[in-house]
Amino acid sequence: MLSGGEIVIGCLFIVVLFVMSVIDIAFSTVNKISIRRLADTPKAKTASSLAALLEIRPEVLMSLHLVIQLLLVSGAVLLYVVFQRWQIPYSGGALGTVAVMMFVILIFRHLAPRIMTMRNPEMVLIRLFPIFKVVHFALKPF
């Protein structure tokens, strides 16, 4: 049986993966013109900072992808450890880990973030900008 801490860690892993995937997809699909148009409105104070990040898009995307890959690897390790604690044989634990992680990746890394950012990626980025800025700043040396 899973302990309360493991359930919290698993849920936190999925939420952070989802948020980082939303930011990744929104940042990949947004264009400079729409962000500059948003910078002219008084509501979007962070649009000018976002426009500056668009100038170095490859660097920013690399830091986002590093975080997402780290989350996926740590999630797979956590899941495999859970399967091992349940005393499932090696092959069953490995197959179970692959199956569950494929489901998590399909839903929380690809489908749900694309659906969320489909209509207005600029506003999604504006709302998630504080998280986006922290991640980029933390991984800027890499």
Side-chain angles (χ1 to χ4, degrees):
M1 201 68 193
L2 292 176
S3 69
E6 290 168 337
I7 292 172
V8 169
I9 289 172
C11 290
L12 185 65
F13 154 75
I14 288 176
V15 168
V16 172
L17 176 66
F18 176 71
V19 169
M20 297 307 332
S21 297
V22 166
I23 291 171
D24 176 37
I25 291 171
F27 191 73
S28 296
T29 58
V30 76
N31 59 29
K32 294 177 186 178
I33 296 168
S34 61
I35 293 297
R36 289 199 179 121
R37 222 173 351 136
L38 274 178
D40 295 337
T41 63
K43 291 181 181 178
K45 297 176 184 175
T46 59
S48 59
S49 301
L50 197 54
L53 289 176
L54 280 172
E55 297 297 326
I56 54 170
R57 189 185 303 242
E59 291 177 23
V60 176
L61 284 175
M62 187 175 71
S63 63
L64 286 171
H65 291 166
L66 281 172
V67 169
I68 290 169
Q69 295 303 322
L70 179 65
L71 286 168
L72 291 174
V73 168
S74 54
V77 168
L78 174 71
L79 194 58
Y80 185 75
V81 167
V82 167
F83 282 138
Q84 287 298 306
R85 191 164 350 112
W86 288 346
Q87 298 180 353
I88 295 176
Y90 174 77
S91 59
L95 287 174
T97 300
V98 168
V100 171
M101 287 305 294
M102 288 298 289
F103 176 77
V104 167
I105 290 169
L106 180 68
I107 300 297
F108 297 104
R109 170 72 178 110
H110 292 288
L111 291 178
R114 288 187 199 288
I115 290 169
M116 186 174 176
T117 60
M118 190 181 311
R119 293 202 181 246
N120 199 352
E122 298 86 11
M123 288 313 294
V124 171
L125 276 177
I126 296 293
R127 288 189 181 116
L128 295 176
F129 189 73
I131 298 168
F132 182 39
K133 197 164 102 174
V134 168
V135 169
H136 176 65
F137 180 75
L139 292 174
K140 196 172 186 175
F142 297 109

